[in-house]
Amino acid sequence: MPEVKEIEILIIGGGPAGLSAAAAAADLGASVLVLERDGKPGGQLVKQTHKFFGSKKQYAGDRGYQIGNLLIDRCQNNPKVEVWTDTTALGIYEDGVVTAEGQGKHLKIKPQKTIVATGASEKMIAFPNNDMPGIYGAGAVQTLMNVHGIVPGQRVLMIGAGNIGLIVSYQLMQAGVEVAAIIEAAPAIGGYLVHASKIRRAGVPILTSHTIREAYGQESVEGAIICRLDEQWQPIPGTEQDLKVDVICLAVGLSPLTELCFQAECQMKYVPELSGHVPLRSESLETTRPGLYVAGDVSGVEEASSAMVEGRLAGISAAYSLGYGNEAAAKLQAEALAELSELRSGPAGQKTVQGIKKLMDKEEAAC
């Protein structure tokens, strides 16, 4: 039988939310263990080379990988934080034990509180030949280029004009890859106009109300047929275009990675505005399973800035529930909630605000 590791707060996921939670909880005096399935913590921040917006509190002006390094340093320099890399959480059980696999061993952990910060996975879309070599998710392309220094191809069709699609398109161009076009099924660009403007100034067309009909090629992608959509989102015959590309990159959204929340029997609810099934939780981010908190994209897909603030709030809340911080913790909770409200106050945050309102609506039945 493997030895059981006892810890005050266990955090599953070492991305922006998980690292922020760890630092916040440890600063209040709690002992923290972070499980990270990759070889290095940081999550999506590791491969983000663009500068962040917002305020200094959300690291405005710093690039994603720089923010990741700052959060890693904060945790590494705090004796209250332990980080296990190359370790994957397997399950959260009725007796409070969490199992994991790491370094070829089966591990058992008994935390007093648990924070799930597992992030999100990329969505795919269906079209003929969507399994051909040369078709990637945008996150995979970022990892290839910004972590491993490998370009995916020579000429790319980007599907999706949200922030991820726009940012990765610009990073492809910076790496010397031609972007043939960005297509977006919606009638308007979903990302920030500052990102779209950079793309357009470089001569790349952004085609709204367009979709992909099919990919084609012999052994890998050689091209794609795209077409225009009508107001009912149906293809308009005769509007097809043939784009010669060797890469098709999908930036069509993310889905919260909530398998552990389902397995832990948290009460869940499908909320489209939050990108899928998410756990019901209190203002302090505690789920319907007492002592289990969520933070970041697992609680509803947003920007990394919001994930870091949610992580901080979950870390403070978990530590406060163990008796750390007292009045100081209550004040920090209020500050984090105010910061989240401010982040979500603009047009880009309205979808999240609507989603949270639906989530909290007692009238609607949960799944």
Side-chain angles (χ1 to χ4, degrees):
M1 290 289 288
E3 186 180 335
V4 178
K5 164 84 170 180
E6 295 195 357
I7 193 74
E8 288 184 314
I9 299 175
L10 173 68
I11 299 173
I12 303 173
L19 291 177
S20 298
D27 284 348
L28 289 173
S31 298
V32 180
L33 171 63
V34 180
L35 304 185
E36 170 52 52
R37 67 180 181 183
D38 289 338
K40 179 183 177 180
Q44 300 303 307
L45 295 172
V46 169
K47 56 193 175 188
Q48 292 180 345
T49 58
H50 60 282
K51 291 184 178 180
F52 274 46
F53 298 127
S55 67
K56 274 294 173 188
K57 287 183 291 186
Q58 287 102 43
Y59 306 98
D62 289 326
R63 300 185 187 276
Y65 71 91
Q66 294 172 322
I67 299 168
N69 288 336
L70 285 169
L71 292 173
I72 291 167
D73 288 345
R74 275 192 70 191
C75 290
Q76 286 180 340
N77 293 329
N78 194 317
K80 289 283 188 178
V81 180
E82 193 175 352
V83 180
W84 291 357
T85 54
D86 294 311
T87 303
T88 301
L90 303 175
I92 302 171
Y93 297 94
E94 295 91 339
D95 59 0
V97 169
V98 176
T99 61
E101 186 277 325
Q103 293 85 47
K105 297 177 182 177
H106 182 243
L107 309 166
K108 285 188 175 182
I109 305 145
K110 185 68 182 290
Q112 294 179 43
K113 306 290 176 181
T114 301
I115 300 172
V116 176
T118 43
S121 61
E122 294 191 276
K123 290 180 179 176
M124 297 289 116
I125 54 173
F127 55 89
N129 300 318
N130 71 345
D131 58 349
M132 291 185 75
I135 299 176
Y136 298 86
V141 167
Q142 268 193 319
T143 301
L144 274 175
M145 292 196 303
N146 299 343
V147 177
H148 302 293
I150 300 168
V151 294
Q154 300 303 312
R155 196 164 193 257
V156 176
L157 168 65
M158 178 66 68
I159 302 176
N163 280 326
I164 294 174
L166 297 172
I167 288 168
V168 175
S169 293
Y170 192 70
Q171 290 173 356
L172 282 160
M173 292 157 60
Q174 287 177 310
V177 179
E178 183 184 356
V179 178
I182 301 173
I183 62 172
E184 169 59 56
I189 293 167
Y192 295 139
L193 292 181
V194 64
H195 296 314
S197 298
K198 286 196 297 187
I199 298 289
R200 282 179 163 150
R201 281 198 298 271
V204 176
I206 302 176
L207 307 174
T208 54
S209 295
H210 277 72
T211 192
I212 183 170
R213 290 297 301 266
E214 64 175 295
Y216 64 86
Q218 293 298 314
E219 296 183 359
S220 62
V221 171
E222 295 173 13
I225 307 297
I226 65 170
C227 70
R228 189 170 178 80
L229 298 173
D230 63 21
E231 292 178 358
Q232 280 73 48
W233 300 67
Q234 296 302 307
I236 301 174
T239 63
E240 293 83 2
Q241 294 181 58
D242 185 347
L243 297 179
K244 305 297 181 187
V245 295
D246 60 350
V247 173
I248 296 170
C249 186
L250 302 175
V252 292
L254 302 169
S255 295
L257 281 169
T258 53
E259 291 89 345
L260 285 173
C261 296
F262 273 107
Q263 189 262 334
E265 297 187 340
C266 299
Q267 199 172 0
M268 308 292 290
K269 190 173 183 179
Y270 181 76
V271 183
E273 293 86 349
L274 300 178
S275 300
H277 279 94
V278 292
L280 272 66
R281 69 276 188 166
S282 67
E283 193 177 54
S284 63
L285 300 179
E286 187 173 17
T287 67
T288 54
R289 173 165 174 156
L292 193 150
Y293 299 77
V294 287
D297 283 349
V298 71
S299 70
V301 174
E302 289 187 83
E303 298 295 318
S305 299
S306 299
M308 288 186 283
V309 181
E310 277 203 344
R312 190 175 356 125
L313 175 59
I316 293 163
S317 300
Y320 187 25
S321 70
L322 292 172
Y324 291 102
N326 299 322
E327 290 182 13
K331 183 182 177 185
L332 290 169
Q333 276 183 317
E335 287 174 357
L337 286 166
E339 210 171 318
L340 279 172
S341 180
E342 184 182 342
L343 279 169
R344 294 164 177 162
S345 62
Q350 287 311 296
K351 191 168 82 164
T352 299
V353 171
Q354 291 165 7
I356 291 172
K357 186 175 183 297
K358 277 188 182 180
L359 189 68
M360 301 301 184
D361 191 346
K362 301 287 192 293
E363 302 276 319
E364 295 184 35
C367 296

